[in-house]
């Protein structure tokens, strides 16, 4: 059953549509990531759910209570929704203890204990309680912001790019910690991010936004391997997109024939292969052969530039691939594909242009 | 954090009881009432301009021609032009020199010299004049006017130029030096162009002061539009002559604003690329040290020594007889009350426009802001003339009231308040307000506890800036104040008009005493200003 | 959260500091528009308040500024009493019919040469025109015989005046009344060429003292006032009286009147009566104003040349046309 329900939400800034008919369901206790490039409307959606901004039309329900109905809305401070934003938004004029206790009742007798519990929960030393936010590192600040939001026992936690200001290593660590804490507390969470890897690793449900519209929604695996269109495919990760002729579960491409889902209709289409599906194999006379024009090493991966030997007019292909032994520049290779290729929807693609 | 995971589940135990949620029609935050308030302030700020237009229309073209196109007005125009052309460039040269010495040279005692460069601000312009005519009685006319105004107004240029100089990325200068430029060439080709905006802004401020100032020029016997308007006012109250001269003066101000906009252009200089800016190294003065030292000492002697020694001398020669304590304390109290009453009101009135410019910039907002800024560029005489005429003819209950006087103060010093508030609101990002609301604070409480609290130092600085202006304001106070009002400035003026310099000295001293902490506050804020 | 009450308290305090003056007007005490020297009027007001308990709130200004201000304010004028340095300001208000006629016994304090026939206002002090000259540069023989002689190009750049002041404009009023428009016009044009402008009579006298100019057309008491203080601005100065009923021997009358719009007419009348009484006029003799007393047969300060010896031209104070004077001076480029 849906815990957070967004229906037909729209919001315009002047002539520009920030949100266009967006609907979304979030199950209780789940983690949803809303991902999209900047300007896609994901932050606007979050601000409307939080109550910082008014919608033009549409509804938002949380736990069967209506929060937004067109221009009518429940004010932010009555919603019981926690939020952690990009830079933490800690109050610079208050100590860490006062920041965490900001949302607590002043007269609450177990106030001190609650603060201490929360500090333990986020793994910060109690000695930091009297410090000011600027005396903490970025990661510590984000933890305090999380504790501050948790202190009010929110029904829903909104995370607005909370990890994007952190260094790469710390980011991964924070993401895991937050996932753990929210999971243990059973709090429903909605994360907004422009980082597809973060979205895919954080969420049980990924919602992809572009140009104010929600273009796709599903499990991380589903959206990654079966993106709705070319743009989504490229946004979510590296992809090899090839023109193909479909015929009864097989796609014929300049690189060879690959299996596709049986129910795909016959005809011309674009197919998607993720780098993870592709392997370099020794050249085989039955398959098209490629020449390695250039190979750039970047630690975990190699980026290869490949040329189709049979078809000199075909533009070079770029492929990122992992492996220890990469054939040297100038050598000839063939490609092998694991699993099935995904057929992209043409109509969706042209509409987006 | 692993051992803490145990308590995570317990945290969700009993949730605070929540009131049933009810939908309310959403005002767009506080936007519309704020826009309305800012628009009302803008309309009021347009009153003086409307008044000038009305005067011109009311008088009719023939009267305008007879009263405006005459040789005497031509003399004022020439005087004004000469004053601007001489004083502004000299002021720029002086301020840039002082700024370079205090920010980029290794002269010992930099903190002292910085204070010296700013300190003339704490001495009202007409007290500078008072100092000079006591020290050099024959000083008068254009040379006197240029000398005294350059000394009195140089801090208006020094402050922005020094701040900008401190902010400059020495990387650019190092790059120029590595490309084979000599230090003077580096200064001319790299540093000076980057100071252009600061110089333009400061020069505009000085130029507007030259147009608006009455006391300084009246005392040094130099006729400008402002002195002529006051003369006319004194012989015929709100006559068409005074009002039309006011109109010409407004045209001069507008011309100056336009000229500055033209020179400033739309170009912006900023560091290209990322990475932390370096700290500038100071130039070794070497043999030029005595010259730099002589420059700052000479400036200190002329801009601080002359007025302060004059005040001290008159106080000495006047003895206890010039200290009628009851009168002086009454004037001090009234000045204080007007200064801070006006300061607080100006901050309140400026708040909507400042809020809009930070939180909801738009075309309308820019128009509103322009209104707030133009009115501050008008001379006190013009605003006072407008308010005298309007209150006596239309709004009689407001005539000769503190309300009208404070309205004049607020209009005159509105830009100071808007600038300070705008900067301080920018220190309080909206995300913090949102965080407070998400944590259960109603909007107004969130604004009060977070935004206002964070902006408080800036708001205080804005109030101080306006209070400083009001403390040293003369013409509007003379023309608008209610019966029986005695401020330090008006009492000082009445005494000096009768050449009773000794009796005027305590008032000069009190004005300096009152201005000093306010100037100090501004100085330390400028020091603390972000360095990038 | 404590800040709202604090700000409120602060602004309340701010305005309470302003209020005593505001209250003064409400309790039926007097509002005096004063264009006389502040020190003199203050001394009058303090002694009057001490004697009668009637409090006085003063607004300081210049003769014609305040006269025109009263005209602008009309019925709504907050002023009860108007004091000037010279008569043209009085005449302006009188012609607008805004004065309340003074009581007979008040008028009786001052001889009719020092008040208009209308009896709507009254003289309270007098001051004589003088030519203050640099005694280190000029001898008696070099001095102008008549004020009209200053128009001679020989005097170019040698003499000073404060054209913007009501004092000087009263003198021009006298020239206009005695010599007519034609001569006055050319005299003003000559002045524009030949006189150095100063702001205020004190400043002009100071200019003479430090040798900037050789002489200045001012009133007598600036010299005596400075001599009584430090003498710093008049050590090199001597006074030349034109006498012979020359326009330059013009004696200007300072006036007082009560406003018809006043709500405190009795107290207003009482103040004017007190100024012209023995006690009020004694302030002129004893104080540091050095103006001539005109009422209650009070003698002048012994340092002064007696008023009777000045051979002033006879002029009805009603005849001084301030509007014409400012127009002519504006046309001549002096204003």
């Amino acid at each position: 059953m849906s815990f957070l329900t967004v229906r037909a939400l729209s919001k315009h800034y002047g002539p520009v549509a920030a949100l266009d008919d967006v609907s979304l369901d979030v199950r209780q206790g789940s983690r949803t990531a809303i991902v999209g490039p900047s300007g896609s409307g994901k932050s606007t959606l979050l601000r409307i759910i939080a109550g910082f901004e008014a919608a033009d039309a549409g509804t938002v329900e949380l736990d069967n209570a209506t929060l937004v109905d067109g221009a009518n809305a429940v004010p932010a401070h009555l919603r019981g929704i926690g939020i952690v934003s990009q830079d933490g938004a800690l109050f610079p004029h208050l100590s860490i203890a006062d920041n965490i206790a900001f949302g607590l009742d002043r007269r609450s007798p177990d106030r001190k204990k609650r603060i201490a519990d929360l500090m333990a929960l986020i793994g910060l030393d109690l000695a930091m309680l009297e410090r000011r936010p600027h005396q903490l590192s970025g990661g510590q600040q984000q933890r305090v912001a999380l504790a501050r939001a948790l202190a009010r026992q929110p029904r829903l936690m909104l995370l607005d790019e909370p990890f994007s200001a952190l260094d790469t290593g710390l980011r991964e660590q924070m993401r895991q910690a937050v996932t753990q804490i929210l999971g243990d507390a059973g709090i429903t969470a909605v994360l907004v991010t422009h980082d597809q890897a973060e979205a895919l690793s954080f969420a049980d449900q990924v919602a992809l936004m572009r140009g104010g519209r929600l273009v796709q929604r599903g499990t991380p695996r589903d959206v990654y391997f079966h993106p709705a269109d070319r743009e989504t495919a490229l946004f979510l990760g590296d992809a090899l997109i090839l023109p193909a002729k479909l015929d009864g579960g097989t796609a014929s491409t300049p690189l060879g024939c690959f299996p596709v889902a049986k129910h795909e209709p016959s005809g011309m289409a674009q197919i998607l292969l993720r780098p993870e599906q592709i392997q370099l194999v020794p050249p085989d006379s039955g398959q098209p052969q490629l020449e390695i024009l250039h190979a750039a090493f970047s630690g975990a991966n190699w980026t290869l530039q490949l040329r189709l030997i049979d078809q000199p007019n075909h533009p070079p292909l770029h492929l990122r691939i992992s492996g220890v032994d990469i054939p040297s520049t100038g050598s000839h290779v063939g490609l092998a594909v694991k699993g099935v290729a995904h057929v992209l929807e043409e109509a969706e693609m042209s509409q987006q242009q | 954090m692993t051992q803490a995971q145990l308590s995570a589940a317990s945290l969700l135990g009993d949730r605070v009881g929540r009131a049933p949620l009810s939908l309310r029609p959403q005002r767009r935050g506080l936007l519309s009432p704020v826009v309305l308030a800012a628009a009302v302030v803008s309309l009021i700020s347009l009153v003086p301009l409307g008044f000038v237009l009305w005067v011109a229309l009311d008088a009719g073209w023939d009267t305008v021609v007879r009263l405006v196109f005459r040789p005497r007005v031509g003399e004022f125009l020439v005087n004004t032009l000469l004053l601007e052309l001489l004083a502004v460039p000299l002021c720029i040269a002086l301020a840039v020199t002082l700024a370079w010495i205090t920010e980029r040279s290794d002269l010992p005692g930099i903190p002292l010299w910085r204070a010296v460069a700013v300190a003339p601000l704490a001495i009202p312009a007409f007290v500078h004049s008072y100092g000079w005519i006591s020290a050099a009685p024959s000083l008068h006319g254009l040379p006197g006017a240029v000398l005294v105004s350059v000394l009195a107004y140089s801090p208006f240029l020094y402050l922005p130029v020094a701040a900008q100089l401190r902010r400059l990325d020495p990387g650019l200068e190092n790059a120029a030096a590595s490309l084979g430029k000599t230090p003077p060439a580096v200064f001319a080709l790299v540093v000076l162009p980057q100071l252009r905006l600061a110089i333009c802004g400061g020069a505009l401020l000085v130029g507007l002061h030259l147009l608006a100032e009455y006391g300084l020029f009246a005392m040094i016997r130099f006729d400008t539009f402002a002195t002529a308007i006051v003369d006319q006012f004194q012989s015929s109250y709100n006559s068409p002559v005074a009002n039309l001269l006011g109109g010409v003066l407004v045209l001069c101000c507008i011309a100056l604003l336009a000229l500055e906009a033209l020179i400033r252009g739309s170009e912006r200089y900023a560091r290209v690329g990322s990475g932390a800016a370096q700290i500038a190294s100071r130039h070794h003065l070497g043999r030029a040290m005595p010259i730099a030292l002589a420059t700052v000492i000479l400036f200190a002697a002329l801009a601080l020594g002359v007025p302060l020694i004059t005040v001290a001398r008159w106080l000495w020669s006047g003895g206890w007889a010039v200290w009628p304590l009851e009168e002086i304390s009454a004037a001090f109290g009234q000045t204080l009350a007007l200064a801070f009453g006006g300061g607080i009101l100006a901050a309140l009135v400026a708040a909507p426009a400042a809020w809009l410019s930070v939180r909801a910039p738009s075309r309308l907002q820019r128009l509103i802001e322009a209104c707030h800024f133009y009115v501050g560029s008008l001379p006190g005489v013009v605003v006072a003339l407008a308010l005298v005429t309007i209150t006596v003819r239309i709004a009689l209950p407001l005539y000769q009231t503190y309300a009208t006087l404070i309205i004049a103060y607020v209009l005159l010093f509105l830009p100071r308040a808007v600038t300070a508030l705008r900067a301080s609101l920018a220190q309080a990002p909206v995300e913090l307000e949102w965080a407070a609301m998400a944590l259960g604070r109603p909007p107004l409480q969130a604004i009060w506890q977070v935004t206002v609290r964070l902006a408080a130092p800036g708001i205080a600085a804005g109030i101080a800036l306006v209070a400083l202006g009001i403390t040293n304001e003369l013409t509007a106070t003379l023309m608008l104040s209610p019966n029986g009002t005695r401020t330090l400035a008006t009492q000082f003026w009445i005494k000096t008009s009768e050449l009773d310099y000794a009796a005027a000295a305590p008032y000069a001293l009190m004005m300096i005493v009152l201005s000093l902490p306010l100037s100090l506050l501004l100085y330390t804020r400028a020091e603390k200003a972000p360095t990038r | 959260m404590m800040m709202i009450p604090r700000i409120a308290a602060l602004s309340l305090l701010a305005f309470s500091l302003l209020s005593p003056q505001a209250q003064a007007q409400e309790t039926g005490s007097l509002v005096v528009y004063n264009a006389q020297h502040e020190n003199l009027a203050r001394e009058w007001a303090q002694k009057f308040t001490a004697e009668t308990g009637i409090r006085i709130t003063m607004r300081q200004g210049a003769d014609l500024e305040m006269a025109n201000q009263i005209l602008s304010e009309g019925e709504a004028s907050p002023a009860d009493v108007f004091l000037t340095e010279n008569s043209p300001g009085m005449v302006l208000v009188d012609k607008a019919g805004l004065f309340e006629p003074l009581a007979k016994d008040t008028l009786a304090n001052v001889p009719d040469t020092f008040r208009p026939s209308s009896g709507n206002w009254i003289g309270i002090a007098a001051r004589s025109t003088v030519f203050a000259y640099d005694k280190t540069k000029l001898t008696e023989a070099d001095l102008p015989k008549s004020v009209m002689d200053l128009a001679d190009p020989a005097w170019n750049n040698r003499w000073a005046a404060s054209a913007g002041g009501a004092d000087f404009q009263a003198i021009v009023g006298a020239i206009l009344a005695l010599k007519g428009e034609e001569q006055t016009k050319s005299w003003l044009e000559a002045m524009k060429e030949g006189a150095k402008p100063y702001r205020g009579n004190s400043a002009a006298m100071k200019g003479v003292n430090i040798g900037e100019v050789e002489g200045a057309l001012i009133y007598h008491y600036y010299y005596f006032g400075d001599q009584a203080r430090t003498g710093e601005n008049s050590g090199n100065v001597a006074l030349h009286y034109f006498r012979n009923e020359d326009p330059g021997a013009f004696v200007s009358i300072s006036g007082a009147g009560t406003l018809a719009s006043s709500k405190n007419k009795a107290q207003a009348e009482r103040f004017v009566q007190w100024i012209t009484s023995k006690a009020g006029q004694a302030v002129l003799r004893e104080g540091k104003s050095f103006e001539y007393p005109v009422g209650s047969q009070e003698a002048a300060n012994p340092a002064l040349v007696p008023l009777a010896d000045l051979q002033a031209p006879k002029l009805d104070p009603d005849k001084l046309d301030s509007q014409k004077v400012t127009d002519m001076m504006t046309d001549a480029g002096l204003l």
Side-chain angles (χ1 to χ4, degrees), chain C residues 101 108 157 204:
Chain C
N157 288 320

mmCIF file of all heavy atoms in Angstrom, chain C residues 101 108 157 204:
data_model
loop_
_atom_site.group_PDB
_atom_site.id
_atom_site.type_symbol
_atom_site.label_atom_id
_atom_site.label_comp_id
_atom_site.label_asym_id
_atom_site.label_seq_id
_atom_site.Cartn_x
_atom_site.Cartn_y
_atom_site.Cartn_z
ATOM 1 N N PRO C 101 -4.063 92.589 16.279
ATOM 2 C CA PRO C 101 -3.654 93.927 16.740
ATOM 3 C C PRO C 101 -3.226 93.861 18.206
ATOM 4 O O PRO C 101 -3.813 93.137 19.001
ATOM 5 C CB PRO C 101 -4.932 94.754 16.578
ATOM 6 C CG PRO C 101 -5.746 94.021 15.570
ATOM 7 C CD PRO C 101 -5.414 92.579 15.722
ATOM 8 N N ALA C 108 1.902 101.411 23.918
ATOM 9 C CA ALA C 108 2.350 102.612 24.635
ATOM 10 C C ALA C 108 3.780 102.469 25.142
ATOM 11 O O ALA C 108 4.436 103.464 25.437
ATOM 12 C CB ALA C 108 1.401 102.899 25.801
ATOM 13 N N ASN C 157 35.917 95.363 -5.510
ATOM 14 C CA ASN C 157 36.685 94.334 -4.798
ATOM 15 C C ASN C 157 37.267 94.808 -3.489
ATOM 16 O O ASN C 157 38.170 94.189 -2.947
ATOM 17 C CB ASN C 157 37.820 93.790 -5.683
ATOM 18 C CG ASN C 157 37.269 92.921 -6.781
ATOM 19 O OD1 ASN C 157 36.330 92.141 -6.545
ATOM 20 N ND2 ASN C 157 37.804 93.073 -7.972
ATOM 21 N N ALA C 204 31.484 88.627 7.246
ATOM 22 C CA ALA C 204 31.955 89.791 6.493
ATOM 23 C C ALA C 204 32.905 90.628 7.343
ATOM 24 O O ALA C 204 33.972 91.058 6.885
ATOM 25 C CB ALA C 204 30.753 90.630 6.040
#
